[in-house]
Amino acid sequence: MSHQLTDFDLIIFGATGDLSMRKLLPSLYQAHAAGLLHPDGRILAVSRSRLDTAEFLAKVESDSKQHIKQHFSETAWQSFIGRITYLPVDVTRPEHFVALADAVKTRSASSVVIYLSTAPRFFAEACRHLAAVGLNADNVRIVLEKPLGSDLASSRQINDDVARYFKEGQVYRIDHYLGKEGLQNLLPLRFGNVFLERIWSREYIRSVQITIAEQLGVEERGEFYDTAGALRDMVQNHIMQMLCFVAMEPPQSEDADAVRDEKLKVVAALKPMTAGDVDKYVVRAQYVAHGGQKGYLQERHVPADSRTETYVAIRAEVDTPRWQGVPFYLRTGKRLAQRRAEIVVNFKERQQTWFGPQHANRLIIRLQPDETVSMRWFVKQAGNGLHTVPAEMVLDLGQAMSGRRADAYEILLREVIDGRLNLFNRRDELEKAWEWLMPVLDNWAVSKVAPYTYAAGSWGPQAARDLLARDGNLWLEEQAA
Ligand code: BG6
């Protein structure tokens, strides 16, 4: 599908930082090389460092270029960096914003995107100075990177600060999981295939598992991670988005608010947890050294007595007519056995029939490492009457989705430039997610019980298996092949 390209000025705050070098600039290069950026579009890279454009580009050459994994051509690269200008901007200095506004006003791009790739503590001041120089006009869109707060109160504070200068329709809250095609595909998969739509409910579904498992540990991010933990880093955002796409009702239209209204309803319908529920339905754990891999407490910048969770599993319920009583098992962790992001829908068992032993269909929607949808069917076992054996039918989404594939950040950046909010989170939804998780954070803050432990490279603590066993269920890796 071709559409008109939008002329833009993209201002990246924190341009010398990790996200900008590793993700934003390489993603923009990809869009550029594919001819998907307006030819006049400019990138204004800003940060506190006192550099000129040539010095910044030298840094891009050494720190960013290496992250371009495909479609690299020196010619495309040279024309790409021609779009970049660097400006030193100290967020605490109003006069720097005047210079920034002057740079933007040298022409009038139809879309001005301001990407705040900085710590949230700078957001309020940055927004105030941007507004003071008119960089909050209607054609300005502001992009906020997570973490947007560390609890309900701090998230509200950030949203209030931004809302003082920008209308909600100008605010693009990034969750890079929403840029993953495998996740977006859930809606066409569910609502575009008549047989799935009919059985997508408590009547046929016994349980749902949502997993984001990582093999990596906290790497060099120990200092940040220790203040966050798996619940804030992954559950409040990425896991919640996966849950919304699995559980939401069909939106009335493709319109951003129609989609976001339905997501909000899912989060609002999550059964609230009491302090007692937290002990019963939430498992937190930390990895310990195993098989030559360090434990969390031995990672750099992690205090030796840290209680920060690197793993969390939750038994949740979505209290809507479609889902009442169906457990949603959510889990994420670092240093697990495999890297996998997936949704497992376990259908109810067929009653005993003359086909043989009881069995249940299962649908697995995998976003990582491969993008697949697999359905477990039952077929006749050769030479054994009508007795059945399970058989897996695998749809390779990578092959099936025709068209050029792009990385999540590239997709999201192009959406912002075009001014489409569908793949960005609205404030009410994010705050509802914090509201639901607050009892967990409050309980952990005072709990005398230490996190469980799990061996690095394993599938997590026994307590997470027990969580499912109480309902007579098993995590995917323990289910019969
Ligand atoms: C980030 C988290 O938001 O998502 C990281 O801060 C995590 O801790 C990452 O590793 C996972 O993203 P992906 O796309 O690799 O699954």
Side-chain angles (χ1 to χ4, degrees):
M1 193 175 58
S2 71
H3 68 277
Q4 278 221 302
L5 301 175
T6 312
D7 187 12
F8 67 93
D9 274 347
L10 166 62
I11 304 165
I12 304 177
F13 278 78
T16 51
D18 204 45
L19 183 77
S20 160
M21 291 293 167
R22 279 191 313 111
K23 295 279 185 196
L24 304 183
L25 293 171
S27 299
L28 288 162
Y29 164 79
Q30 295 295 354
H32 169 89
L36 295 172
L37 295 184
H38 190 284
D40 300 333
R42 294 188 306 179
I43 299 168
L44 297 171
V46 310
S47 87
R48 251 180 324 185
S49 310
R50 303 219 126 263
L51 306 172
D52 59 23
T53 298
E55 287 163 329
F56 177 73
L57 290 181
K59 194 169 162 51
V60 172
E61 200 72 25
S62 65
D63 297 359
S64 188
K65 198 173 171 181
Q66 54 180 302
H67 296 290
I68 297 169
K69 299 278 167 357
Q70 48 182 354
H71 309 304
F72 183 79
S73 111
E74 194 56 42
T75 320
W77 175 253
Q78 288 306 325
S79 66
F80 170 67
I81 59 176
R83 294 178 182 269
I84 303 177
T85 313
Y86 182 83
L87 260 183
V89 174
D90 180 335
V91 177
T92 61
R93 306 270 297 273
E95 68 276 19
H96 288 184
F97 286 79
V98 175
L100 178 63
D102 287 345
V104 173
K105 281 174 197 154
T106 54
R107 59 189 213 110
S108 48
S110 48
S111 173
V112 175
V113 176
I114 299 171
Y115 200 121
L116 295 185
S117 174
T118 59
R121 64 177 185 282
F122 298 120
F123 288 2
E125 193 159 15
C127 289
R128 182 155 57 84
H129 295 322
L130 286 166
V133 295
L135 283 175
N136 65 340
D138 284 348
N139 68 332
V140 178
R141 287 138 196 178
I142 188 145
V143 185
L144 308 180
E145 253 302 330
K146 79 183 252 284
L148 290 179
S150 54
D151 57 15
L152 179 59
S154 53
S155 149
R156 277 198 180 131
Q157 184 65 54
I158 292 170
N159 286 326
D160 282 346
D161 289 341
V162 175
R164 219 162 283 139
Y165 308 104
F166 291 88
K167 295 188 228 78
E168 178 63 27
Q170 295 177 281
V171 184
Y172 291 69
R173 297 180 189 82
I174 287 249
D175 181 320
H176 79 278
Y177 265 64
L178 286 175
K180 294 188 193 263
E181 301 258 26
L183 181 63
Q184 292 171 32
N185 184 51
L186 266 160
L187 298 191
L189 185 80
R190 285 183 52 198
F191 302 126
N193 293 294
V194 71
F195 62 95
L196 269 191
E197 192 188 343
R198 297 291 153 83
I199 58 175
W200 208 256
S201 74
R202 62 194 296 261
E203 208 179 324
Y204 294 98
I205 293 176
R206 175 188 167 115
S207 72
V208 178
Q209 299 178 11
I210 298 179
T211 296
I212 304 179
E214 298 185 274
Q215 271 185 312
L216 292 178
V218 294
E219 311 298 297
E220 293 307 307
R221 293 165 76 224
E223 197 172 337
F224 157 75
Y225 192 86
D226 200 62
T227 64
L231 194 82
R232 293 182 172 100
D233 191 42
M234 302 293 285
V235 177
Q236 193 272 342
N237 31 69
H238 309 324
I239 292 267
M240 206 52 82
Q241 292 307 317
M242 288 169 76
L243 170 68
C244 284
F245 274 61
V246 174
M248 74 200 259
E249 297 299 321
Q252 292 297 317
S253 71
E254 246 195 287
D255 182 63
D257 276 327
V259 176
R260 300 184 318 166
D261 286 346
E262 293 307 331
K263 289 201 297 166
L264 171 65
K265 285 185 206 160
V266 173
V267 186
L270 280 165
K271 224 182 196 171
M273 285 183 270
T274 62
D277 289 340
V278 175
D279 291 334
K280 204 162 151 204
Y281 297 129
V282 185
V283 172
R284 65 167 167 165
Q286 250 178 19
Y287 59 87
V288 291
H290 185 74
Q293 305 198 81
K294 272 191 231 162
Y296 177 65
L297 298 181
Q298 289 90 54
E299 298 280 11
R300 263 159 62 86
H301 308 302
V302 172
D305 59 351
S306 170
R307 283 190 160 203
T308 299
E309 79 289 355
T310 59
Y311 176 99
V312 59
I314 304 179
R315 181 194 190 280
E317 280 188 40
V318 180
D319 217 350
T320 58
R322 187 191 288 269
W323 294 115
Q324 236 152 43
V326 178
F328 282 78
Y329 304 111
L330 319 175
R331 67 172 167 171
T332 184
K334 298 225 180 256
R335 279 265 185 269
L336 293 177
Q338 285 176 21
R339 173 170 181 257
R340 273 193 349 210
E342 69 198 4
I343 294 150
V344 180
V345 179
N346 290 299
F347 289 92
K348 288 190 171 167
E349 291 189 344
R350 267 195 68 96
Q351 294 310 305
Q352 186 81 24
T353 67
W354 46 268
F355 285 129
Q358 289 187 352
H359 50 228
N361 296 106
R362 183 180 73 193
L363 182 72
I364 304 174
I365 299 150
R366 188 161 286 155
L367 315 183
Q368 285 168 187
D370 43 359
E371 290 175 311
T372 52
V373 177
S374 35
M375 177 60 125
R376 166 179 282 187
W377 300 84
F378 288 88
V379 298
K380 180 190 169 319
Q381 186 181 27
N384 192 8
L386 287 181
H387 278 244
T388 55
V389 283
E392 214 69 38
M393 189 163 95
V394 183
L395 174 65
D396 180 341
L397 288 179
Q399 276 182 11
M401 288 180 185
S402 57
R404 174 180 173 272
R405 302 302 308 277
D407 143 272
Y409 271 100
E410 183 195 326
I411 292 178
L412 295 176
L413 282 162
R414 288 188 358 236
E415 292 289 300
V416 187
I417 289 172
D418 287 344
R420 273 192 301 272
L421 278 158
N422 297 47
L423 299 178
F424 300 87
N425 289 317
R426 214 168 54 191
R427 148 171 211 173
D428 47 7
E429 178 193 339
L430 288 184
E431 290 183 2
K432 268 278 170 248
W434 278 120
E435 221 174 291
W436 182 64
L437 289 169
M438 280 318 292
V440 184
L441 291 172
D442 291 343
N443 176 299
W444 288 353
V446 297
S447 173
K448 301 218 163 15
V449 185
Y452 293 101
T453 56
Y454 61 100
S458 73
W459 269 116
Q462 178 60 34
R465 287 186 279 281
D466 297 343
L467 183 72
L468 271 66
R470 288 206 299 266
D471 300 332
N473 289 329
L474 295 168
W475 291 108
L476 178 67
E477 64 277 4
E478 299 176 301
Q479 293 178 8

